[in-house]
Amino acid sequence: MQSWVNRLWYQGHPLRFVLWPLSLLFALITATRRLFFKIGLKQAIKLPVPVIIVGNITVGGSGKTPTVIYLIELLRSHGMKPGVISRGYGVEIDGVRAVLPEDSADSVGDEPAMIVARTVVPMVVGAKRVDAANKLLTDFDVDIIISDDGLQHYQLARDIELVILDGERRLGNGMLLPAGPLREGGWRLGSVDHVIVNGGDALANEQLMTLEPTKWLPVSALHHGSSVPTKSDSIVAMAGIGNPQRFFDSLLAQGYDVEQAQAFDDHSDYQESVLTELADGRILVMTEKDAVKCRDFAKDNWWYLAVDAKLSSSFDKQLLTKIDQLVADK
C-alpha cells in the first residue's frame, strides 16, 4: 500500500490525472466548509487559554509528534503548564478520555501513548477536539493547549498555527486528495504562523527542524539487560511511520550495519509472530512510535532510537513572545 501511494503522490504516477476529478470534488467540499466558518454559518469555539495547532496539509507523518514534545518542554521551561489534545488516530473512543502513562497504543493511539510515556503531560483524546479541550481544562491544571493535528478542524478556534512539512517530500505532486497528498492547497502555508520543515532544506520564510538521535532504549518493559546495538552489529530495522526511509537513512548515516530494512504502513498494528520472524534472532531496531505498540511482547534484543526535535533559538523567541502577548490579552 505504502509503495503504491508513494508512486502516486511523490513519483509522478499518471493515475493522478484519473483521480483529478475526485480531487476537484474534495476541493469544493473543503472550500465550502471553510467558507461556512468564515461567514459565521458555523461557529468556531474559542477557549479561555491559548491554543497552538501542530498540524500539516499533507497526509501521513511529517514530524508532528516530535514537534509536540519539543513544545511541551519549551513551554514548561518558560513556566507554563501545557496540556495536549489529539484525535487518537486508529482507535474508537466513546466521547473523550484522558491518556495515562500505562495506557496502550491500541486504546488511545500510538502517538498519544508515545507523547505521554515520554513527557507525562496532561492529555485528552477524542474525535471532537473542543470536547477534548474542555475536559483537559476541567480535569487538569493547564494554561495552554497544544492540539496534535487538527489544522483542518476549524470548530476549535486557534491562536497559533504551526504546519510541519517533510523536507524531502514537501507537497509531493501538489494535488489534493485523492490524486495527491494534500488536505488543503499549498496556499494554506501562507496563512499559518510558522512552517516548520523537518529535514531537507528550509526556505527563507520557513523554520528548519532536525531530529537528533539521543540514545538507544529497550522496547520491552521487562528488559533483562542485553547490550545496546553497536555499529559492529548487523541489525534489522523496521518503521511504520509516514516516511520510513528517513529512519533507515538516519541509521546508515550514523554508521550502523542495516542488514535488512522493513517498512510498514503508518500506524500499523504489529503482531509478535510477524516481528519475531522478521528479526529471526537478530537485533531489531525501530522508532519510538513503533516501540509503544510492541512493549508488551518485545524481546530483549529489540531496541528503539529516541530522537529529539531541534529548532532555532529565534523560533523559540518568536513563539514565546506571541504566547506572552496572548496571555496578556486573555
Side-chain angles (χ1 to χ4, degrees):
M1 173 66 177
Q2 192 153 20
S3 60
W4 182 86
V5 169
N6 283 341
R7 290 196 299 272
L8 174 62
W9 289 349
Y10 300 106
Q11 297 174 16
H13 195 286
L15 181 60
R16 67 190 189 278
F17 297 115
V18 178
L19 296 175
W20 180 63
L22 294 177
S23 295
L24 291 179
L25 178 60
F26 180 81
L28 177 62
I29 293 170
T30 54
T32 301
R33 186 169 180 273
R34 284 192 300 269
L35 178 63
F36 284 174
F37 279 100
K38 185 174 182 179
I39 65 178
L41 289 179
K42 287 190 174 183
Q43 191 67 41
I45 307 300
K46 195 161 184 65
L47 300 178
V49 300
V51 174
I52 303 175
I53 301 288
V54 180
N56 54 21
I57 64 169
T58 57
V59 172
S62 54
K64 294 189 303 296
T65 304
T67 307
V68 169
I69 293 172
Y70 179 89
L71 292 175
I72 292 167
E73 296 172 347
L74 175 66
L75 295 173
R76 282 174 170 171
S77 70
H78 195 59
M80 302 198 74
K81 295 174 286 189
V84 181
I85 58 173
S86 176
R87 167 68 179 86
Y89 183 89
V91 297
E92 292 296 328
I93 296 171
D94 185 15
V96 297
R97 62 167 289 182
V99 181
L100 304 176
E102 61 270 21
D103 280 334
S104 63
D106 59 7
S107 64
V108 296
D110 49 13
E111 288 155 347
M114 173 183 164
I115 291 168
V116 173
R118 171 79 84 96
T119 66
V120 200
V121 71
M123 185 167 188
V124 175
V125 294
K128 296 184 176 180
R129 287 175 176 81
V130 172
D131 292 349
N134 283 328
K135 181 174 177 61
L136 192 62
L137 292 171
T138 300
D139 293 359
F140 299 93
D141 182 19
V142 301
D143 55 19
I144 187 167
I145 292 176
I146 303 167
S147 177
D148 178 20
D149 209 356
L151 185 67
Q152 291 78 32
H153 194 86
Y154 289 106
Q155 186 184 28
L156 176 62
R158 65 285 311 269
D159 299 287
I160 297 173
E161 291 182 327
L162 308 179
V163 166
I164 318 301
L165 277 186
D166 185 317
E168 297 171 0
R169 295 179 169 187
R170 295 194 71 89
L171 302 183
N173 62 18
M175 300 176 75
L176 292 172
L177 289 165
L182 299 187
R183 300 171 175 179
E184 295 183 280
W187 60 267
R188 186 70 166 87
L189 298 180
S191 66
V192 303
D193 294 271
H194 293 282
V195 177
I196 298 173
V197 177
N198 179 12
D201 297 319
L203 303 179
N205 60 338
E206 298 173 341
Q207 301 284 343
L208 179 63
M209 178 178 74
T210 58
L211 298 180
E212 298 185 2
T214 57
K215 57 184 175 181
W216 289 106
L217 293 168
V219 177
S220 174
L222 302 173
H223 183 253
H224 293 101
S226 63
S227 56
V228 301
T230 67
K231 294 176 183 178
S232 61
D233 294 319
S234 292
I235 61 178
V236 179
M238 57 162 278
I241 56 177
N243 185 357
Q245 192 59 47
R246 180 191 296 279
F247 177 60
F248 304 145
D249 289 344
S250 73
L251 295 173
L252 294 171
Q254 294 172 71
Y256 288 99
D257 178 13
V258 180
E259 183 177 331
Q260 182 179 351
Q262 177 64 53
F264 294 91
D265 287 338
D266 197 10
H267 300 288
S268 285
D269 291 323
Y270 298 118
Q271 301 297 321
E272 179 180 0
S273 58
V274 173
L275 298 188
T276 300
E277 182 179 356
L278 173 64
D280 194 23
R282 299 169 291 181
I283 296 172
L284 181 66
V285 302
M286 62 188 72
T287 70
E288 188 170 1
K289 180 176 165 181
D290 296 309
V292 298
K293 293 180 282 189
C294 303
R295 55 191 176 192
D296 290 337
F297 57 80
K299 312 304 179 187
D300 268 359
N301 60 343
W302 295 9
W303 297 84
Y304 72 88
L305 185 59
V307 298
D308 287 341
K310 298 294 181 184
L311 284 119
S312 69
S313 58
S314 64
F315 167 79
D316 293 354
K317 183 177 180 179
Q318 291 175 56
L319 184 68
L320 292 172
T321 298
K322 178 155 189 178
I323 292 171
D324 286 342
Q325 292 171 348
L326 289 168
V327 172
D329 293 340
K330 288 289 183 179

